[in-house]
Amino acid sequence: MTSPHQGATGETSFVVELSAFNGPLDLLLSLIRDEKVDIYDIPIANICKQFLERMHELALNDAADYLEMAARLLRIKTLMLLPRHEGLDQWEDPRAELVRRLLEYQQMREVVDVLERLGEDRRNRFARSWTQTLSAPPQAPLALSLAELLLAVDRVLRQARKPVMHDVVPRALDVDGAIAIVRAVLALRANARWRDVVRLDAEPWEVLSALLALLELARRSELKLAQSRPFSDVEICRELAGEAA
Amino acid sequence: MNSLAKLLEAALFASPRPIPTEELAVLDDEASKAAVQSALDELREHYNVDGHGVELVEQGGGWQILTRPEYTEAIERAQMAIRPHRLSGAALETLAIVAYRQPIGKAEIGEIRGVDVGAILKSLLERGLVEVVARGEGLGRPLLYGTTPLFLEQFALRHLEELPRIDELAIALRTSKPAEDEAGASTEPVPAGSA
Amino acid sequence: MNSLAKLLEAALFASPRPIPTEELAVLDDEASKAAVQSALDELREHYNVDGHGVELVEQGGGWQILTRPEYTEAIERAQMAIRPHRLSGAALETLAIVAYRQPIGKAEIGEIRGVDVGAILKSLLERGLVEVVARGEGLGRPLLYGTTPLFLEQFALRHLEELPRIDELAIALRTSKPAEDEAGASTEPVPAGSA
């Protein structure tokens, strides 16, 4: 898309017409170009009228962004009609803000032209799309430091809304977490073993948490604990009395 | 090289799969199959005689340009040696939240960070720093995440309790030397209210 | 070609992404950065002088072998590779603003373009051309966006500074000053550091 010039080609579809302009500023800029008017001295009444006409032609009457611009133009037009006080040298042109935005937009459109050219050049070249699988691609090692992690914690704490984070503390024991694990396991099957709810390499706090979780759930009659003989694996059985899913 | 050989080189380079001779002939209406064959020979010769890091081989039902076997080891080694990857500020924050709040669901992390953390969580999972440790209660029984032993190893922690308590954090930050210089901080995507 | 150039050629052939010079240097412990640079020059020369269908280009933060543009049409016609879709005008406008004003929030982009940019921004995020780089100050701590290395690659840029400076554009305009104090934004026209 370069400067989108297209006479309203009869009854083209809504979508096509919409994409003819990249927004109200684009449309406005093209009107200013077509009319060959000075961007610093826009004949606002004329441009406003044309803007509304094009909006109608292009069936953009329902497009919020265009409506907003139309309202803005009408407001500027009204302000321009207000009598200026002779003595007041501090008259601020109501068009100033619009001009600034148009110039900014136009500048960006220049960059778009550059990007478009560069992108097209690149699109005209293929990179290697077939890659030889050498062996399993190893991941780059990680460089981590505790200080970095703590700084991240600090940032999170600063950013988080207080109510959400006020209770952030390392938990010596995480019984709730362990309860969730046990329930998850029992949701999948009626019987489980100790090893199903505690990983082999579990930390002491995890083991304790799991133990407390099992006792707690047994107390709530969500499960039954059994041991067939001393030192054998603990068997965990789901109790139907458990809370409704 | 003649122009057909150059065209074939470009096509073989760009194609995601091996290309049979007959298909290569489609590239140039005027080229006979014999011409294609001789251009392929020329390309292969060129790679061999001229000393290239790649070679032209016929396999998998077609022609392919492959790196020469003698270089694969160096390439693999280099992939290992590529400078260690630093976690982004966003990833570190997510990791920090998981470390202190585990087991914790994606939604809750996202709520604390104020952004969707799906992609970041996925990459932390892939890196083996977090893992699914449970399923939560409630709608859809969300997956709950926790840190892995590798996490402890990477941060040289014996266990999670070695992480400073939140109320000790200010002191810990003052005493621990922030990794390296500003190099790390400059790539930090987070507008440091502190640094 | 010397053996380092051959090794580099093999590595570059094996990668679909540009590889930075420093990463190429890892391939051979004994090679200095200067040696790598001169081997790259030799490889590029070789492709140019010797008549190849591919060439070596420096862009997107590294080195990459690409097919020469004159073969694109034939390759595409033969359906051996597919060119990526052209970006829409709206997408390019949004990218242009992000490239020059990063880190920048959605609302500010929308203000410059005069339209709501939510959907476009989402698709640019999905395509990996922009990413969240920070959170802004103020109400709701809006997400701030920046361009990615893939953006550089897809627009054949070595780095962001290759984009024309604002004061070099035909329409010279002192835009409202970018951000506040962001270290990156201090170099007025183009924010440094793609990272």
Side-chain angles (χ1 to χ4, degrees):
Chain A
M1 76 62 269
T2 40
S3 35
H5 268 290
Q6 38 62 249
T9 39
E11 291 297 310
T12 7
S13 83
F14 177 72
V15 180
V16 172
E17 291 295 1
L18 241 189
S19 65
F21 292 100
N22 292 316
L25 288 168
D26 195 9
L27 172 55
L28 203 51
L29 215 46
S30 100
L31 288 175
I32 287 169
R33 250 196 317 263
D34 292 351
E35 295 292 303
K36 298 190 174 62
V37 300
D38 180 1
I39 196 165
Y40 291 99
D41 188 17
I42 301 170
I44 204 77
N46 177 27
I47 289 292
C48 182
K49 177 167 151 278
Q50 297 209 33
F51 187 87
L52 293 170
E53 277 172 18
R54 289 308 298 275
M55 262 181 77
H56 183 66
E57 279 170 31
L58 300 173
L60 293 172
N61 291 330
D62 295 327
D65 304 321
Y66 287 84
L67 280 175
E68 195 197 323
M69 179 58 73
R72 189 185 301 265
L73 290 173
L74 286 167
R75 193 161 61 242
I76 295 172
K77 187 177 136 187
T78 317
L79 288 172
M80 293 292 284
L81 291 174
L82 288 178
R84 295 174 215 175
H85 292 291
E86 297 291 328
L88 241 58
D89 48 354
Q90 284 265 25
W91 183 71
E92 197 182 330
D93 193 329
R95 298 169 298 184
E97 169 66 9
L98 182 65
V99 171
R100 188 196 64 75
R101 285 187 66 188
L102 280 169
L103 287 174
E104 188 176 43
Y105 182 75
Q106 209 176 346
Q107 192 176 55
M108 189 271 313
R109 286 302 299 261
E110 269 194 77
V111 177
V112 166
D113 289 344
V114 173
L115 284 181
E116 199 168 34
R117 202 184 58 241
L118 291 171
E120 203 51 25
D121 283 352
R122 176 61 186 82
R123 261 171 37 88
N124 281 327
R125 296 152 187 274
F126 291 113
R128 176 84 147 162
S129 57
W130 184 78
T131 48
Q132 207 168 338
T133 40
L134 296 164
S135 59
Q139 281 198 324
L142 282 168
L144 296 174
S145 79
L146 188 56
E148 275 184 320
L149 181 75
L150 295 182
L151 281 170
V153 177
D154 186 51
R155 284 199 304 272
V156 170
L157 288 174
R158 280 165 194 272
Q159 290 177 13
R161 281 152 297 163
K162 287 281 180 266
V164 184
M165 281 299 272
H166 76 280
D167 58 340
V168 175
V169 286
R171 295 169 187 176
L173 289 181
D174 187 359
V175 180
D176 288 345
I179 285 178
I181 295 173
V182 174
R183 282 186 178 150
V185 169
L186 289 182
L188 295 172
R189 43 201 165 113
N191 294 295
R193 291 174 176 275
W194 173 249
R195 279 290 161 230
D196 295 322
V197 296
V198 181
R199 293 175 305 155
L200 263 176
D201 54 352
E203 301 280 342
W205 69 270
E206 291 177 294
V207 177
L208 282 175
S209 303
L211 187 60
L212 289 176
L214 289 175
L215 294 175
E216 171 66 11
L217 289 174
R219 190 181 65 79
R220 293 190 210 166
S221 308
E222 283 190 47
L223 54 79
K224 245 197 232 158
L225 296 171
Q227 212 170 8
S228 52
R229 54 180 194 284
F231 304 115
S232 75
D233 212 342
V234 175
E235 286 174 37
I236 305 157
C237 308
R238 180 165 60 196
E239 280 277 41
L240 289 176
E243 61 181 44
Chain B
M1 285 200 286
N2 77 36
S3 70
L4 182 56
K6 287 193 259 181
L7 173 57
L8 296 183
E9 183 185 39
L12 289 167
F13 177 83
S15 165
R17 59 196 167 81
I19 314 178
T21 315
E22 314 81 67
E23 250 185 84
L24 285 170
V26 175
L27 281 165
D28 185 346
D29 302 335
E30 280 149 42
S32 63
K33 210 183 147 185
V36 169
Q37 188 57 59
S38 90
L40 283 169
D41 289 342
E42 188 187 344
L43 187 57
R44 177 158 54 181
E45 261 322 89
H46 178 87
Y47 285 154
N48 290 342
V49 175
D50 222 43
H52 273 265
V54 295
E55 60 186 334
L56 181 64
V57 293
E58 188 177 13
Q59 66 167 39
W63 295 87
Q64 275 181 320
I65 301 172
L66 297 181
T67 57
R68 286 186 191 280
E70 57 260 47
Y71 299 116
T72 57
E73 200 203 317
I75 295 171
E76 277 174 20
R77 203 162 9 90
Q79 283 174 336
M80 298 286 285
I82 285 168
R83 64 179 148 57
H85 186 87
R86 297 182 84 91
L87 285 182
S88 70
L92 274 171
E93 286 173 21
T94 306
L95 192 56
I97 293 168
V98 174
Y100 277 84
R101 292 290 295 267
Q102 57 190 300
I104 183 171
K106 188 175 78 166
E108 206 189 332
I109 304 171
E111 207 174 298
I112 295 170
R113 290 210 49 235
V115 291
D116 181 77
V117 294
I120 288 176
L121 211 47
K122 187 158 166 281
S123 84
L124 290 175
L125 280 164
E126 278 166 7
R127 294 196 165 276
L129 293 170
V130 307
E131 62 188 347
V132 174
V133 294
R135 304 206 69 140
E137 295 298 310
L139 200 68
R141 305 190 52 78
L143 298 175
L144 299 181
Y145 300 87
T147 53
T148 61
L150 181 67
F151 165 84
L152 295 174
E153 194 183 303
Q154 289 278 346
F155 289 101
L157 296 167
R158 262 167 306 174
H159 38 72
L160 279 175
E161 287 74 14
E162 279 195 352
L163 283 174
R165 293 161 47 89
I166 288 295
D167 50 15
E168 295 165 356
L169 194 61
I171 300 157
L173 282 173
R174 242 176 286 134
T175 49
S176 65
K177 299 256 180 306
E180 280 146 41
D181 52 28
E182 300 311 297
S186 67
T187 52
E188 202 115 282
V190 173
S194 49
Chain C
M1 286 200 284
N2 76 36
S3 69
L4 182 57
K6 286 194 258 180
L7 173 57
L8 295 182
E9 183 186 38
L12 289 165
F13 252 83
S15 166
R17 292 262 92 85
I19 311 179
T21 314
E22 312 83 66
E23 276 180 38
L24 288 170
V26 175
L27 284 164
D28 185 347
D29 302 334
E30 279 146 44
S32 65
K33 211 183 147 185
V36 170
Q37 187 58 56
S38 88
L40 285 167
D41 290 341
E42 189 187 343
L43 187 58
R44 175 158 57 181
E45 255 329 82
H46 177 87
Y47 285 153
N48 290 342
V49 174
D50 223 45
H52 273 264
V54 295
E55 61 187 325
L56 180 63
V57 294
E58 187 181 10
Q59 62 159 49
W63 295 86
Q64 192 173 21
I65 299 174
L66 296 175
T67 61
R68 289 185 192 277
E70 56 262 46
Y71 303 115
T72 303
E73 208 198 309
I75 294 170
E76 197 175 38
R77 199 159 12 88
Q79 297 185 331
M80 287 169 186
I82 302 161
R83 297 207 295 172
H85 286 294
R86 195 182 268 119
L87 286 175
S88 70
L92 282 171
E93 285 188 5
T94 307
L95 268 179
I97 294 168
V98 174
Y100 275 81
R101 294 287 200 87
Q102 57 190 304
I104 184 172
K106 188 174 79 168
E108 209 188 332
I109 304 170
E111 210 171 293
I112 297 172
R113 285 201 48 221
V115 295
D116 179 77
V117 295
I120 288 279
L121 210 46
K122 186 156 169 282
S123 87
L124 291 175
L125 277 165
E126 276 164 10
R127 297 178 78 138
L129 294 171
V130 305
E131 62 188 344
V132 175
V133 293
R135 305 206 65 154
E137 298 297 317
L139 198 68
R141 305 190 53 79
L143 299 176
L144 300 183
Y145 300 87
T147 52
T148 62
L150 186 66
F151 164 79
L152 295 177
E153 192 187 327
Q154 294 212 345
F155 290 90
L157 294 164
R158 255 172 299 185
H159 36 69
L160 280 176
E161 287 74 12
E162 277 196 350
L163 285 173
R165 292 159 47 94
I166 287 289
D167 54 14
E168 289 167 358
L169 296 173
I171 298 154
L173 163 81
R174 276 272 155 268
T175 53
S176 61
K177 54 179 178 28
E180 262 84 88
D181 43 7
E182 290 295 331
S186 62
T187 45
E188 243 254 28
V190 178
S194 50

